[in-house]
Amino acid sequence: MGVSNNITSVLNFIAILTSIPIIASGIWLSSKPDNICIHNFRWPLVILGLLILLLSLSGFIGAYWNKQGLLALYLFSMALLIVIVLVLLVFAFVVTRPDGSYVVPGRGYEEYKLDGFSKWLRNYVTGSGSWEKIKTCLADSDVCVKLTRNYITSDQFFASHISPLQSGCCKPPTACGFTYVSPILWTNPVNAIADPDCYLWNNDQSQLCYNCNACKAGLLGNLRKEWRKANIILIVAVVVLIWVYVIACSAFKNAQTEDLFQRYKRGWV
């Protein structure tokens, strides 16, 4: 195996290692309650990581055993994959850039407005009748119930840093002026006309604020927060992949030159 192929093998081993955090972050995302309830958001990173892993393995095999055809296919496929990752990265940044959160005085958590998020994200997640399935899934989860295990007094709860999903779905909006009984039990609103969601709040554990716009906004807030973290991993991954690809292309050309030189050398002998 020539020096160029040795370099390509090492580079593809690095790319294989790069796929591991991508797959791990995809599994982490898929385990979150919001992503569990939105099936199409669960697996993109896992699939992307697996594709990088498979392509890197093919590149490693092609370089180690000097399979020029496999290496050429690998380089073409990797270029296509890098373009896909870049498009996904830019798209993810654009749709998660708007932030619908706002600070609530005297509270450790933030609350969320639906119109503060990107139109695409709002329509995709909460439009076309999809919310009925999502809210049923959320109601069946323990995302709200587990708040009662973590917080007892109102002071503890008001100072907490609960997730956007819990802030929007598990309690009524603060502006309504409900009296705290437990994190998922509230009574006697003081200002019921402050927000349309005030009328939608229900102490029934299967309903709570799952019909509220605040809940939809909280779900989008969760998705935004999680995907912004995943974007950091994607940025690192795409930088590594571009670096690997550029050097691999150079090594591939050098390997072809070495092969051509060896053929001429054998011909002269």
Side-chain angles (χ1 to χ4, degrees), residues 100-104 107-113 117 138 143-144 146-147 151 157-158 160-175 183-184 186 197 201 208-210 212-222 225:
S101 66
Y102 62 93
V103 175
V104 182
R107 302 289 188 267
Y109 49 79
E110 295 179 325
E111 293 186 353
Y112 299 81
K113 289 186 178 295
F117 295 95
L138 292 173
V143 66
C144 291
K146 65 183 180 182
L147 289 176
Y151 308 105
F157 183 72
F158 293 152
S160 66
H161 296 281
I162 58 178
S163 70
L165 185 64
Q166 291 170 326
S167 175
C169 302
C170 305
K171 64 170 192 59
T174 301
I184 55 175
W186 301 73
D197 286 346
W201 169 261
L208 298 180
C209 218
Y210 295 124
C212 301
N213 282 332
C215 186
K216 297 176 182 178
L219 177 67
L220 298 185
N222 249 47
K225 184 178 179 181

Side-chain angles (χ1 to χ4, degrees), residues 30-49:
S30 68
S31 67
K32 296 297 181 179
D34 47 345
N35 286 285
I36 289 175
C37 295
I38 307 175
H39 301 293
N40 291 342
F41 275 71
R42 295 185 67 181
W43 305 115
L45 278 185
V46 174
I47 294 171
L48 185 62

Side-chain angles (χ1 to χ4, degrees), residues 92-186:
F93 263 109
V94 170
V95 300
T96 60
R97 184 180 59 83
D99 182 8
S101 66
Y102 62 93
V103 175
V104 182
R107 302 289 188 267
Y109 49 79
E110 295 179 325
E111 293 186 353
Y112 299 81
K113 289 186 178 295
L114 189 58
D115 59 6
F117 295 95
S118 71
K119 184 177 180 180
W120 182 90
L121 202 58
R122 293 200 311 267
N123 291 341
Y124 185 82
V125 175
T126 65
S128 303
S130 59
W131 184 250
E132 289 300 316
K133 293 180 180 179
I134 293 173
K135 75 175 184 180
T136 300
C137 175
L138 292 173
D140 291 338
S141 72
D142 66 346
V143 66
C144 291
V145 174
K146 65 183 180 182
L147 289 176
T148 60
R149 299 193 292 266
N150 297 330
Y151 308 105
I152 299 175
T153 68
S154 59
D155 289 339
Q156 288 178 328
F157 183 72
F158 293 152
S160 66
H161 296 281
I162 58 178
S163 70
L165 185 64
Q166 291 170 326
S167 175
C169 302
C170 305
K171 64 170 192 59
T174 301
C176 302
F178 278 84
T179 301
Y180 175 94
V181 178
S182 80
I184 55 175
L185 184 62
W186 301 73

Side-chain angles (χ1 to χ4, degrees), residues 178-229:
F178 278 84
T179 301
Y180 175 94
V181 178
S182 80
I184 55 175
L185 184 62
W186 301 73
T187 61
N188 305 322
V190 175
N191 189 18
I193 63 171
D195 192 305
D197 286 346
C198 300
Y199 294 103
L200 297 175
W201 169 261
N202 195 311
N203 283 317
D204 185 329
Q205 303 305 293
S206 65
Q207 297 188 47
L208 298 180
C209 218
Y210 295 124
N211 289 309
C212 301
N213 282 332
C215 186
K216 297 176 182 178
L219 177 67
L220 298 185
N222 249 47
L223 289 173
R224 178 185 184 276
K225 184 178 179 181
E226 291 160 3
W227 275 92
R228 297 289 278 194
K229 291 180 180 178

